[in-house]
Each structure stands twice: as C-alpha cells, then as structure tokens.
Amino acid sequence: MGNHKETYPLIRHLGLLLFLAGFGLFIGIFFLSDYRLTEEALQEAFSYKEEVAPMAVSQTLPDDTRPATPPPLYWLMVKEAEPMMGETYNWNFSFVDRLNDLFERTNERVLAIYGLSDDEIEKIIEVSRLETNLEYNTTLALAQLEGEGQLLEERQQLLRDYTGWMEGRTYETSEALEQELRSTLEGLEMGITEGEGISSYSAKGYLTSLVKYSTIGWIANYTWLFFWLAFGLSTAGALMYILPGLGTVAGIKHNNIFFSSLKNRGWLGVLLGTFLILFYIILYFYPYYMTNWILLVEPFCYWMTGNPASEFFLYGFLYTLAVLVMGVRMLIKYRHSNYHKIRTASLMFFQLAFAFIIPEILVALNKPYFDFKNIWPLNYDFFFDYRLDEFLANGTLGLFMLGWGIALIIIAVPLFTYLYGKRWYCSWVCGCGALAENLGDPFRQLSNKSVEAWNVERALVHSVLVFAVGMTIAVLYTYFTASSEFLGISTYTLREIYGFAIGAVFAGVVGTGFYPLMGNRVWCRYGCPLAAYIGIIQRFRSRFRITTNGGQCISCGNCSTYCEMGIDVRWYAQRGQNVVRASCVGCGICASVCPRGVLKLENKDPKGRFGNPILIGNEHVSVIE
Amino acid sequence: MKQVVIIGNGIAGITAARHIRKRSNYAITVISGESDHFYSRTALMYLYMGHMAYYNIKPYEDWFWPKNRIGLVRDWVTQVDTKHKKLRLQEKGEISYDILLIASGSHPRKGGWPGEEAPNVQGLYSLQDLERMEQQTKGIERGVVIGGGLIGVEMAEMLHSRNIAVSLVVREKEYWSNVLPPEEAAIISLHLRRQGIDLQLESELEEIIQDEKGNAKAVRLKGGKQVDCQFVGITIGVVPNISFLEGSGIETNRGILVDSCFRTNQPDVYAIGDCAEYHQPPAGRKSLEQIWYTGRIHGETVASTICGTPLTYKPGPWFNSAKFFDIEYQVYGEVPNLPKEDTETLFWQHLEHEQTIRIAWNKSSGAVKGFSLLGIRYRHEVCARWIKTSATIDSILPALGEANFDPEFHRRHEQEIRDLYEKQTGRTLATPVRKKFWKIFG
C-alpha cells in the first residue's frame, strides 16, 4: 500500500547502501594499489606487443658502442629501467610519471644507436665541401656512417630515406648546407623514435600494460574477491533498490523527479556527470590510470575469452552490466506496457549477445572482432584499411562480415526504416540506444525542447554525417590507390581527427558524460551519423508516424518533457497533427506518459502520413492551416 | 486596425487570440493577472508532483507571442466600461477596445461550511492556488479532500505524491458515480483504495475545526466522524469569475450570458470558456461547460465571428478524458451512468486488469450512442464518426479494431467483446474485417 517510496523501504534502503558500498569500493580501487616494476612485467608488456626473446639484464649492451645487430627495444628498456626495478610506488600517477621518464630515456638510447652523431654530421659536411658548389651527394654521405653489419645497413637506409631529396642540391656556404642537413635530420630523429623506439602511438598501450603488470597489493592478490565485492555488491544493491518497485500499482511513476538533485541537475547530477566525463576522458586518452579497474576484470576476461583484459573489455563489461541492471529497472517501471517490455528485452539481448559475447568469442577463436549489429557510419572504422584487410584475410567468415556490414547499410536500414521507422534500430537494437534508454532513462526529461535546440541539432548531426561519409571516401581512396592524400588532405590525419573528435569526444565524453546535464540522447540527437542517415529515410520514406488522437490533447506537456530527443511532441498533439520527425527514435515514452491517451506509434500506409492538423470536436472549425 | 482585447490567457482566450491572428490583422492584447504567459491549467498537478517544471507546462515558447503580434499585459481588470469601450486595470491604468472578449475563467466553489476561510483550506484552480497549496502542505501528515470529482482525485494524487495521507470525502455511493456507471465507479473506488487513499464514501462535510491560530486541524463529517488533518482541499466545482463586471451592463446569471455566437447583451463584447453561460445550450449540453476542450472549441469558434464570419457554437459528439492515478478514462458520446429506457449497453471488463469498455446504443434503432473506457484507449475520430452517422451496433462491432488506440503489442479484446455481445443479445455478428497481411508492405 501507499507510495512507491514506501514499499519495502528497508530492502530499498539496504539496497541503496549496498550499491553505494560497491560503487564506493569501485572508486576506491582506482587509487588502491602499489606499483613495482619487474623484469616480468616488462616482458609481459612487451611480449604482448611484439615477440621478444627473453634476455637477462646482464647481457645488455655497454653504453658507448654501436652493436652490429640492432638490439630489441625490450633490452634497452630493461637497461634503462634498472634504477626503477624493485622500487615501490604508492600512486599510479607518480608511477606513470616515472614510466614516461623511462620511455623518454629509452628513446634517447634508441636515438643514440640509430641517430647520427655530431662527428658523422661534420664528416658529411666535410665531404660535401670537397664537391663543386657544395653539392650534397647521398652516396658520399652514407659512406660517412660508422659501425657495421645490419645496424649500419638500417642506418644507411634511414639516411637515404630522409635526405634523398637533397641529392644533387648545391649550397652557397657550408653553413647553409649544415643548416638544411640538421633540420632534415630532426625529421630523421623523429622517424627513429616513432619507428624504432616507443612511438607516441604505442606509448599508451605499453604504459597501460606495464602499469597493469606492475601492480602489487590487494587487487593483484585477491582480484576475484574485489571483482565480486565491487560488481556483485553494486549489482545486488541496485537490484534490491529496483525490485521492490513491483510492489507498487503499475503505471507511470514520475513523482518528484523535478525535485531530485540527481535528476534535475542538482549537485548529485553534476557530480555524476563529472564522474562520467572523467571516466570517458581516462578511458580514451589515459587508460593507464584505470589499470586497477582493468585488472579487476582480468580473471573474468581470461575465463570468458582466454585473453588478458584491455580497457575496452572493461568498458564493454561495465556497459553491458549497466544496460542489463537498468534494463531490469525499465522492465519493472513500464511493466504495464508490452511495448516497453519487449523493446527493453530486445535492447538487453542485443547488447549482451551481439555487442559483448559474440565479438569476444570471435576474438577467442582468433577471428576478427565483429559486432553484427553495429552499422556504418556509427561503426566508423568499418571501411578502414586494417578492418578490410582483416575481413579479406579471414576467408568465408571475413567475407561474410564484409557483405553483412554492407547489406546492413544499403538494404536493412532503408527497408526496415521504411517498414517500422527509425525505432527498429535506435530504440530496439543499437548499443548506444540501449545505454541511453536504460541507464539514461532517469535523465530523459533534461533534453532541450526549444526550436533553437532543434536548429542546432539539425546542423550538427548532418555535419557529422557529411564528415563521416567524406572521411570514409578518403580512407577508401587511400586503400585502393595507395595515395595517402585525397584532395590535398592526408586521409590518415582525417580519420585520426574523426576518431578523436567524433568517436571519442562527441560519442563518449559528451554523449554519455552529459546524460545528467543535457539528457540521455545527447550523442544520438546531436552527433550520431547513422541516426542522421536513418532519420532522413524516416522523414521522407517510412510508414511510421505518431498519430494524435482527435481532440483529446490537454497540452499538459508530459510528452514533450519526457521526449529524450527533445521533440516538442505537444506542439503536434495540441493541433491534432501526426508527429513525423527525423529524430524520433520511437521509444514510445510520450505515448505512455500521456494522461489522456492521445499518442500512438503506428506503421501504416504512407499515404496521408503527414496528415492535416485536425482537432476533432468542433463541427465548424476542423482544419487549422 | 481593430483593437481586440482579451481578458484571460487560459485555453479559451489564447485559442481565440491565435485564431484571430490567423484570420485577421487586428491588434490583439491579452490581459492576465495570473501569469505572464499561457500555461496548461490541466498540468498544474504535475508541477506539484514534480513531473514537470513550470517551463514544461507552457505550450508555446516565450518568443511565440511577439512573433505572432499578440500583446501580453500582466494585470487584473477591475472594471469594464462598455459605454466608452474601456477597461480599467488594477495597476496599468486604462485600455480601450473595439472588441472585447471575456475569457476570465472561474474560481473554486465554496460550500458555506464553518471554518472554510481558514488559511489551510482551499480549492485548486490557479497558479496562486498551487503556490498556496505548496506552502500549506509542507511537512504535513494528512490532508482531507472534499468532493468526488475530477479535481478531487487530482488533489488526492498530488498530496499522495508527497507521502501525505489523504482522506477523500465523497457524497455519492462510489467515486464520481454521478457520471460513471456503478461498475466503473466501483473499479475507480477500489483503485483509489489500492493506492492508499482513505475513501470516505457517502459522507458529507459538516464543519472544519480550527485551532487557536485559526488553522484547520480536523474536519467533522455528517454523522459525527472526525478526521484530524492539517490541510483541507475543497473541490466541489468552480464558479465563473464575473465580479469585475458589476455595473458594466453585461448581462450575467451564474456566468456571462451569451447567445450561440458567444455574443453578450453588449455590442462587441463576447464571452467564452468557463465564465460563459449559454442562453440556449446546444442539445444535450449544460448551460455552463467548464472543461478544457469546450474552452478550446469556444476560442476557435468565436475567433471566426470576431473576424467577420459569424459561426454558431456547434460541438461534435461529447468527449472527455481523465486519469485517476494509474487508470486512464476516455468517453465519446453519451453513456448513461444509470439504466435508461431507450438505451442498451454492453459492458466488458478484463478479468485481472483495471480495464473496461462500455458501449451504448439506441434500443430501437441500434444506433451507437457512446463509448466509455477505463484503461483502454479508443480513437476519437472513429468513435465520433460512428456516433455522428448513427452507425448501428451490429455494423460497428465487426470493425471495432479500427477504434482501438492502445499501444502496439497490447492485448486486444475485440473478439471477447463480440462474443459477449452475441451472448448477451442472441444476435450473430458479421465476420470481422481482418487486417490483410500484405498491407504491411504499403
């Protein structure tokens, strides 16, 4: 009896307490471990990236001679790491700092081995001076390099690559030659550290593995225990908080939402938003700070896939857990509506099976990672060279994946969108949709409904679509022509910018981090290029619409308020006009929260879909223009 | 350019203003003492319950008014001078008009009970009422609501959302049984009890008992029962706001008396909405119609008249809707609450869920007269069409699926209803129209 807050209050409060304990522990775990660099950790981290024969520290090289064969990076690393070995660090921040120093010193060593000494540079200038007009001669320059064997050959090749363009050039003074040579060699040095040392690209991965394998203390020793404490407690607690909802009378339960600090941008909402934003920044840009969390799911990952966990396995795990637990909440909250029950079950299924389990099984079977429901251009790297190569290298399965992915884009999207509207994907299948619908449900009322926001939305989301299509065309151009420039732009830079600005910042940091601040569909509404593509079809060629019921609207505003896409549904309902909007994801919440039964999601004959605005009830005035 | 002045920015006044703007170039001024902008009065309860914030219940963004050249004045009208076509405002002086449209709404009715002037005794109509209720119910334990109508149940739900115990005092045998047939009324009564509402049926208020400071501290019902409380809501209907018209020469009774074109007895003065009273109500209608939908229809209609094309008030078949906690209610046409000689009804009820359908038709002609629904949604357009064309019950039942407006995947009950009809009347219906499978490909 009574208000939903009063059903099983003890269980609910205990659940909240357990959840907070589990979640608090999860946060605490971030800071919990100590770190000690060991040879094993280095081996682990580097053998994970490249095959290196194990070698004792004592066998590393003396400082001042150039060996005949180029030494593996790992050897240099071990040598430079010597002072750090066995030292214990209490904070991952200071440990990462020291590792960065270590990487820098290692790169200096790499430079000392591969780079040109001042002696060699002077000799090159010396021999050039003997030529007429100070002409640069590559063959002569190469002859000035010292050393022997394979290393010498590699160094000569590098010098040829980087100064080849100077061949036959003449200089007025030896100073001019030296200046040009030295500035060219700066590029060479960069090339050496990127190619032979720890590149800026691979540093993130090395750091993450190194920190992970250097972890000592409770998390490393009792990983399963902490796994269950953090995730078990918070999951059990959340369910204890959610399940008593079954004791209430079924129906829309939106009491006090606008008085809630969490759900109406109070301090709790801001706090949660900050946490989510930081989480995504660390995940995408500084994963080596969240290694304790990665370590936490490591045994689970081994159990499931036989591989060590990466930050993205952790992310997939948390993501799926959130979709499932909050999915249970949706199933209970909307248990009076079959539409929401089936829709939510579908989202939970696709996230668990298609986005989490199947791709991980594929990887475990040494097949390409593939999410069969992720569609380009949301799945923006589908046409990247390494993906295409992977498909082509995996026989029938690989070709099937390629064909499937393309069929989704050109057949499934237009066909299903015509039949059922955008919802077939956005609120029934999509992973971003699953997180938004389930985890994001408490924040749907925060979306901006103004016409101004609508204008921003249309400009932004279609720009991202154009960007995604352009970027993909450029990348494919490179794939087929091997020319790295398209219309004078580097396709690699283009795809890097897309991955950073759209893939990481927009979809992750802003898209999810801003749930408690701007509503749960920030990415889907303002950024998702696939949503833009499907939206265009829904707007112009679909059987889907939201029908309004005659004259029953009382303009109360529940529909608009709880529209996560920020559609001002009331504006249509109160003039008796069907809602046909590109952005509508068909979640059906507007129809559920309507207290007067005014809205219905329908697939019907496209004829008359837009309809005349008709308010029934007045025999004299029925159509407002 | 004619100057149209509208008193009141509720649904009636604002609908009129919007339609006058569509039809003319007149200067339009809307005066309201209640709020700066039009808001949805029906959504007041959701503000209190925290379902929405004030900005959510404004149907139009603030830029809408200047863009459509609808001037808004925030003030109360204290006097109407029909002779010189002038209004006196409480603060902002005088305004002249060429055409005056009064849509001043109404205010909660009182019952003349001892103690009803206490500060924590009130009705619910305006934003100001809501603010007062907000203050008066802070941290209280129990509220008593007097009146078994639509606002009464809203107030009960509001208090309930704040974990305040509620006693709902209803004069009739069941909740709203002067409108709902006994079966439906019983379902709603039970639902209210399931929600935890203390429903006092067949009870009437006798006295509100005040403490030494003058605040209500209990109510005494007829028969002597006393209920302690810290707040009393009185929801026994509304009364038109017409006191500011005294001495204006505008003819009033309970409301402002209007003809079928909403003209008052004074030239160029019209009245619509809650405050208007028809000299001759349309067939089947009451002389005062104080609901959202009629207010809107009044506004649409009078706009045409004001813009030079006189239209009479001609509403279609009656319709209304409400929500009692978690049960939605829709009605189309006439469904009597008690058996009527010329009317036959079919009543279907779900075995577990709080869902009912009642269809009424004329006994002799078979013409369908109305649909009344709990927990099920029907299509307004289809129901109104059937009622208007006097479609027979035998012809509509096979096509009943057309009327269903429930969300997808919800269980459908048309066949059960047809079976019930055949059993009840001994007649045989035509085979229902089936949706063709290939239709899904458009």
Side-chain angles (χ1 to χ4, degrees):
Chain A
M1 287 292 246
N3 197 309
H4 66 285
K5 287 248 165 88
E6 288 165 2
T7 49
Y8 311 105
L10 201 68
I11 295 179
R12 282 175 67 93
H13 286 136
L14 194 64
L16 190 59
L17 220 64
L18 285 182
F19 171 78
L20 289 176
F23 188 67
L25 181 66
F26 180 72
I27 303 278
I29 284 169
F30 184 91
F31 303 98
L32 201 61
S33 292
D34 289 340
Y35 305 88
R36 191 185 296 144
L37 191 61
T38 61
E39 212 175 316
E40 291 75 33
L42 275 172
Q43 276 175 21
E44 198 77 68
F46 280 78
S47 65
Y48 182 51
K49 304 282 173 197
E50 55 186 71
E51 291 302 322
V52 174
M55 184 170 176
V57 179
S58 56
Q59 280 175 271
T60 48
L61 307 145
D63 285 341
D64 46 0
T65 55
R66 280 188 212 277
T69 41
L73 192 56
Y74 166 69
W75 295 3
L76 302 173
M77 198 81 178
V78 171
K79 175 82 180 160
E80 287 304 322
E82 221 168 340
M84 273 181 82
M85 293 287 187
E87 195 94 7
T88 305
Y89 298 85
N90 303 115
W91 292 97
N92 49 5
F93 297 100
S94 53
F95 187 59
V96 167
D97 271 355
R98 296 300 311 274
L99 288 180
N100 272 325
D101 292 345
L102 171 63
F103 285 6
E104 212 168 288
R105 288 201 308 276
T106 308
N107 276 348
E108 277 164 20
R109 289 272 293 167
V110 169
L111 218 49
I113 290 169
Y114 287 89
L116 271 69
S117 65
D118 280 350
D119 253 15
E120 288 169 327
I121 295 171
E122 262 165 40
K123 276 188 190 167
I124 292 171
I125 294 165
E126 207 61 40
V127 294
S128 303
R129 205 173 270 160
L130 300 175
E131 297 294 302
T132 39
N133 294 334
L134 280 164
E135 186 185 323
Y136 182 79
N137 180 317
T138 316
T139 322
L140 279 177
L142 293 183
Q144 308 311 312
L145 296 186
E146 291 153 7
E148 53 181 355
Q150 195 195 334
L151 179 63
L152 179 63
E153 277 169 32
E154 284 187 21
R155 297 180 69 224
Q156 286 176 334
Q157 184 60 44
L158 275 167
L159 189 62
R160 202 178 292 123
D161 289 349
Y162 276 85
T163 62
W165 66 279
M166 288 169 65
E167 175 71 32
R169 282 190 167 225
T170 57
Y171 297 88
E172 296 210 336
T173 61
S174 59
E175 283 76 27
L177 170 63
E178 183 171 352
Q179 206 183 345
E180 182 123 282
L181 188 61
R182 281 193 185 275
S183 75
T184 306
L185 291 180
E186 270 174 36
L188 173 75
E189 289 184 357
M190 186 95 93
I192 290 171
T193 48
E194 289 293 305
E196 311 295 333
I198 297 164
S199 68
S200 51
Y201 176 74
S202 60
K204 202 163 86 173
Y206 283 138
L207 263 181
T208 310
S209 312
L210 263 183
V211 178
K212 193 170 91 176
Y213 294 121
S214 301
T215 306
I216 51 173
W218 292 1
I219 310 297
N221 295 340
Y222 308 104
T223 315
W224 273 118
L225 176 72
F226 278 91
F227 174 87
W228 285 113
L229 279 178
F231 299 125
L233 276 188
S234 44
T235 304
L239 290 176
M240 283 168 70
Y241 187 77
I242 290 165
L243 288 169
L246 283 169
T248 59
V249 181
I252 295 299
K253 298 288 178 268
H254 281 165
N255 286 349
N256 305 319
I257 283 183
F258 276 84
F259 309 136
S260 156
S261 169
L262 183 65
K263 297 170 190 168
N264 193 20
R265 303 190 191 104
W267 67 272
L268 268 176
V270 173
L271 198 68
L272 179 65
T274 311
F275 169 77
L276 288 171
I277 289 165
L278 285 176
F279 176 86
Y280 276 93
I281 290 176
I282 295 173
L283 173 73
Y284 285 121
F285 306 115
Y286 311 99
Y288 36 82
Y289 290 127
M290 52 162 61
T291 53
N292 283 336
W293 289 344
I294 302 173
L295 208 57
L296 208 57
V297 294
E298 180 109 334
F300 182 77
C301 189
Y302 265 115
W303 172 81
M304 190 174 153
T305 69
N307 291 318
S310 68
E311 67 268 28
F312 290 106
F313 181 84
L314 166 77
Y315 180 47
F317 174 81
L318 290 173
Y319 196 107
T320 308
L321 192 64
V323 167
L324 293 181
V325 172
M326 291 300 276
V328 172
R329 174 184 170 277
M330 284 297 278
L331 289 174
I332 291 176
K333 181 176 176 189
Y334 294 104
R335 66 189 182 284
H336 56 293
S337 165
N338 285 346
Y339 183 75
H340 295 304
K341 282 195 285 192
I342 299 172
R343 187 175 65 79
T344 304
S346 166
L347 284 174
M348 290 164 77
F349 167 77
F350 278 105
Q351 175 58 34
L352 180 65
F354 279 59
F356 189 57
I357 295 178
I358 293 174
E360 294 296 344
I361 288 176
L362 285 171
V363 174
L365 297 174
N366 217 3
K367 301 290 179 204
Y369 178 99
F370 198 71
D371 178 347
F372 283 91
K373 58 143 186 62
N374 200 357
I375 307 176
W376 178 90
L378 172 60
N379 185 12
Y380 62 89
D381 68 355
F382 184 75
F383 292 108
F384 282 8
D385 49 3
Y386 54 85
R387 297 298 314 268
L388 294 177
D389 289 340
E390 204 178 25
F391 293 141
L392 297 176
N394 274 278
T396 322
L397 178 68
L399 287 178
F400 173 72
M401 289 171 172
L402 183 60
W404 174 264
I406 293 171
L408 284 179
I409 303 163
I410 60 175
I411 300 172
V413 165
L415 179 67
F416 290 141
T417 309
Y418 171 72
L419 291 176
Y420 309 116
K422 194 177 186 174
R423 53 186 175 155
W424 82 268
Y425 191 72
C426 294
S427 65
W428 281 72
V429 173
C430 179
C432 302
L435 195 71
E437 291 295 337
N438 293 1
L439 180 68
D441 180 69
F443 308 109
R444 53 172 59 249
Q445 66 282 356
L446 300 176
S447 61
N448 188 326
K449 279 71 177 185
S450 66
V451 170
E452 206 183 340
W454 183 16
N455 290 333
V456 172
E457 163 199 316
R458 283 183 291 185
L460 263 181
V461 79
H462 294 116
S463 304
V464 175
L465 176 61
V466 170
F467 187 9
V469 171
M471 182 270 295
T472 304
I473 290 172
V475 165
L476 281 174
Y477 176 81
T478 298
Y479 186 74
F480 288 114
T481 64
S483 156
S484 67
E485 284 204 355
F486 183 73
L487 304 175
I489 308 162
S490 156
T491 62
Y492 291 96
T493 314
L494 202 59
R495 87 183 197 189
E496 239 170 71
I497 293 175
Y498 190 92
F500 170 80
I502 310 296
V505 175
F506 205 158
V509 179
V510 177
T512 309
F514 278 65
Y515 272 15
L517 307 171
M518 289 172 68
N520 54 333
R521 286 276 191 177
V522 178
W523 161 246
C524 314
R525 179 182 181 189
Y526 298 101
C528 177
L530 179 58
Y533 166 39
I534 306 180
I536 291 168
I537 300 173
Q538 163 158 293
R539 175 68 179 71
F540 296 106
R541 274 252 169 270
S542 176
R543 305 170 68 247
F544 172 75
R545 82 293 307 263
I546 302 176
T547 312
T548 54
N549 197 6
Q552 289 280 25
C553 179
I554 53 167
S555 301
C556 70
N558 272 296
C559 51
S560 297
T561 304
Y562 289 94
C563 176
E564 54 191 353
M565 295 303 281
I567 299 171
D568 191 358
V569 184
R570 167 176 53 197
W571 190 82
Y572 299 87
Q574 69 190 0
R575 69 203 299 263
Q577 189 176 23
N578 290 350
V579 186
V580 177
R581 278 278 286 266
S583 65
C584 173
V585 293
C587 69
I589 298 292
C590 58
S592 295
V593 297
C594 175
R596 306 301 179 107
V598 175
L599 301 160
K600 179 173 163 65
L601 283 63
E602 287 191 287
N603 309 312
K604 279 210 295 206
D605 189 347
K607 264 180 277 164
R609 173 174 176 245
F610 292 88
N612 281 322
I614 290 179
L615 283 173
I616 297 173
N618 188 348
E619 300 299 289
H620 278 312
V621 187
S622 53
V623 177
I624 357 167
E625 56 292 329
Chain B
M1 197 166 63
K2 276 188 182 167
Q3 174 79 32
V4 180
V5 174
I6 301 172
I7 303 175
N9 68 352
I11 180 65
I14 286 298
T15 305
R18 284 175 42 242
H19 284 257
I20 292 168
R21 175 50 68 244
K22 282 171 199 283
R23 292 165 176 274
S24 79
N25 212 13
Y26 295 166
I28 304 171
T29 306
V30 180
I31 306 169
S32 166
E34 184 192 7
S35 62
D36 287 336
H37 299 99
F38 169 50
Y39 74 91
S40 175
R41 192 172 303 289
T42 49
L44 275 181
M45 63 181 292
Y46 299 113
L47 286 190
Y48 183 90
M49 290 162 69
H51 291 209
M52 288 189 269
Y54 181 65
Y55 60 84
N56 295 115
I57 71 165
K58 289 195 281 188
Y60 300 93
E61 288 184 62
D62 293 350
W63 53 257
F64 180 88
W65 311 109
K67 191 189 165 215
N68 288 289
R69 290 172 294 122
I70 295 174
L72 304 176
V73 173
R74 178 83 191 263
D75 207 340
W76 298 100
V77 176
T78 53
Q79 208 183 336
V80 177
D81 177 354
T82 48
K83 208 170 180 184
H84 303 97
K85 293 196 162 184
K86 268 184 195 164
L87 306 178
R88 178 168 293 281
L89 305 184
Q90 200 169 60
E91 282 168 10
K92 292 178 182 148
E94 287 184 344
I95 286 190
S96 308
Y97 66 83
D98 298 310
I99 296 169
L100 177 65
L101 177 60
I102 304 170
S104 54
S106 49
H107 61 271
R109 192 157 80 87
K110 293 197 166 175
W113 291 293
E116 70 180 353
E117 298 304 327
N120 56 346
V121 177
Q122 66 167 102
L124 178 65
Y125 185 90
S126 64
L127 266 180
Q128 287 73 25
D129 290 339
L130 187 78
E131 276 162 28
R132 182 171 158 200
M133 182 171 168
E134 182 75 48
Q135 286 163 8
Q136 292 296 340
T137 57
K138 271 214 171 82
I140 67 166
E141 276 171 22
R142 178 173 291 275
V144 171
V145 179
I146 311 291
L150 295 177
I151 306 297
V153 80
E154 277 185 14
M155 232 183 188
E157 192 175 350
M158 289 161 77
L159 294 169
H160 181 261
S161 79
R162 301 267 180 107
N163 288 325
I164 298 166
V166 185
S167 297
L168 184 60
V169 178
V170 177
R171 192 174 53 190
E172 288 78 21
K173 226 174 123 186
E174 298 279 4
Y175 171 76
W176 216 32
S177 58
N178 54 339
V179 174
L180 293 175
E183 290 85 353
E184 284 92 326
I187 287 174
I188 301 297
S189 297
L190 184 65
H191 183 73
L192 297 182
R193 292 203 158 113
R194 279 181 65 208
Q195 299 278 0
I197 302 299
D198 166 37
L199 198 54
Q200 299 284 337
L201 297 174
E202 295 182 277
S203 300
E204 278 183 69
L205 179 64
E206 193 162 78
E207 184 193 1
I208 294 165
I209 302 163
Q210 289 162 282
D211 63 14
E212 59 282 359
K213 284 185 201 151
N215 283 316
K217 62 171 187 177
V219 294
R220 181 160 37 244
L221 306 177
K222 277 187 184 155
K225 184 170 182 180
Q226 191 164 317
V227 182
D228 290 340
C229 62
Q230 299 80 41
F231 176 82
V232 180
I234 296 185
T235 58
I236 52 168
V238 289
V239 182
N241 289 326
I242 50 170
S243 60
F244 68 100
L245 297 176
E246 248 171 66
S248 67
I250 297 172
E251 189 191 357
T252 62
N253 177 34
R254 279 196 292 156
I256 303 163
L257 286 164
V258 293
D259 67 7
S260 60
C261 287
F262 301 103
R263 290 181 284 236
T264 66
N265 67 324
Q266 294 295 324
D268 296 323
V269 178
Y270 301 80
I272 55 170
D274 277 13
C275 65
E277 179 177 350
Y278 317 125
H279 272 295
Q280 283 285 316
R285 301 286 183 130
K286 293 173 182 162
S287 60
L288 280 119
E289 289 186 306
Q290 291 158 322
I291 67 168
W292 176 270
Y293 306 119
T294 49
R296 191 180 65 204
I297 295 170
H298 291 179
E300 291 167 1
T301 312
V302 80
S304 174
T305 305
I306 287 174
C307 296
T309 317
L311 279 185
T312 55
Y313 175 54
K314 198 179 165 202
W318 172 258
F319 69 100
N320 200 358
S321 63
K323 195 173 179 187
F324 312 105
F325 281 78
D326 294 314
I327 302 182
E328 288 174 22
Y329 163 73
Q330 288 186 335
V331 64
Y332 301 102
E334 289 160 32
V335 179
N337 62 332
L338 296 169
K340 265 175 85 176
E341 205 151 295
D342 63 341
T343 307
E344 199 166 339
T345 68
L346 178 73
F347 176 70
W348 172 88
Q349 179 175 6
H350 193 281
L351 286 176
E352 300 155 44
H353 300 155
E354 290 155 320
Q355 293 181 321
T356 67
I357 297 173
R358 188 182 290 271
I359 307 175
W361 66 92
N362 186 293
K363 228 176 220 172
S364 46
S365 70
V368 68
K369 289 172 73 178
F371 302 81
S372 164
L373 309 122
L374 290 183
I376 288 188
R377 298 172 173 180
Y378 265 21
R379 250 176 239 271
H380 189 175
E381 187 263 319
V382 175
C383 295
R385 173 157 46 84
W386 284 340
I387 295 166
K388 274 197 298 194
T389 57
S390 300
T392 62
I393 180 75
D394 282 14
S395 70
I396 67 145
L397 282 180
L400 197 58
E402 257 184 70
N404 188 289
F405 200 70
D406 267 348
E408 293 154 300
F409 304 112
H410 278 222
R411 282 279 294 278
R412 304 286 288 267
H413 311 287
E414 286 91 28
Q415 193 52 47
E416 283 173 53
I417 292 163
R418 284 189 281 265
D419 292 346
L420 187 69
Y421 174 79
E422 290 184 339
K423 210 172 128 191
Q424 182 179 316
T425 61
R427 296 225 277 267
T428 310
L429 290 167
T431 319
V433 193
R434 286 202 181 257
K435 197 179 152 195
K436 292 184 184 70
F437 171 74
W438 58 86
K439 280 267 178 158
I440 63 161
F441 294 105

